[in-house]
Amino acid sequence: FTEGPAVDADGSIVFSDIGNRLMRFDPATKKTTVFRDPSGRANGLIFDQKGRLIACEGANTGGNRRISVTEPDGKIRTLADGFEGKRFNSPNDLDVDPKGNVYFTDPRYVGDDPRELDFEAVFFVSTEGKVKVATRDLQKPNGILVSGDGKRVFVADNNSKPEGNHHLVAFDVAADSTLTNKQILWDFGPNVRGID
């Protein structure tokens, strides 16, 4: 299935085929081609202000459990692959703030790769690749969006358990880039699929 559509400067759309590849759709030609195979089990994608493709690479069967950067020339590098010496759970979705820093969600929905972190969180990665926890005040963080001015971050807290959180939440961005003042914007209630 597909995930993470990201629009490149030329108008083409790169998206994840969760199997383990990235695809590119060209609206001018209406053709879809393979962009990267394997993708490291990429999920969420975004192009940053410099035209680089930033990807959340997940876990299980070929997943790299990292945030990768594909440069415009096609070279791929790791921006971050763990916190305090422990590998991420399964990076899921991300956004870039106005300064080019990355916020990403790190839940674990599926997969039997051994977990090294005993919590699920939103992480902040500086442009230099320094990682810190932005917030742990969520049960299972999924989709994420940084406001255009960089002052707020919106997150889908989507627990896979029927009785768990199915919330759309907002946080204020503190001076140190952590997320504070959690507000539940919408509670979808129990026994629903939730949001991404």
Side-chain angles (χ1 to χ4, degrees), residues 69-127:
V69 178
T70 303
E71 300 287 348
D73 66 4
K75 290 183 183 170
I76 302 166
R77 64 181 173 87
T78 298
L79 180 64
D81 61 5
F83 174 70
E84 296 183 344
K86 296 180 180 179
R87 293 183 74 197
F88 295 128
N89 294 308
S90 187
N92 181 283
D93 203 1
L94 75 166
D95 202 359
V96 177
D97 74 10
K99 296 177 183 174
N101 303 299
V102 175
Y103 284 91
F104 77 93
T105 58
D106 187 42
R108 175 64 76 85
Y109 284 102
V110 297
D112 52 12
D113 288 350
R115 285 181 65 158
E116 297 179 23
L117 293 173
D118 63 358
F119 62 93
E120 299 180 9
V122 174
F123 286 95
F124 171 86
V125 186
S126 71
T127 55

Side-chain angles (χ1 to χ4, degrees), residues 158-167 187-195:
N158 190 17
N159 197 316
S160 49
K161 295 180 181 175
E163 68 280 3
N165 287 353
H166 301 102
H167 299 160
D187 183 347
F188 291 83
N191 303 306
V192 297
R193 182 180 168 107
I195 62 169

Side-chain angles (χ1 to χ4, degrees), residues 1 7 10 15-16 19-20 30 48 62-63 76 78 80 94 122 124 129 144 150 175 196:
F1 65 93
V7 180
D10 66 2
F15 60 93
S16 298
N20 198 13
K30 307 288 189 236
D48 70 5
I76 302 166
T78 298
L94 75 166
V122 174
F124 171 86
I144 188 166
D196 194 352

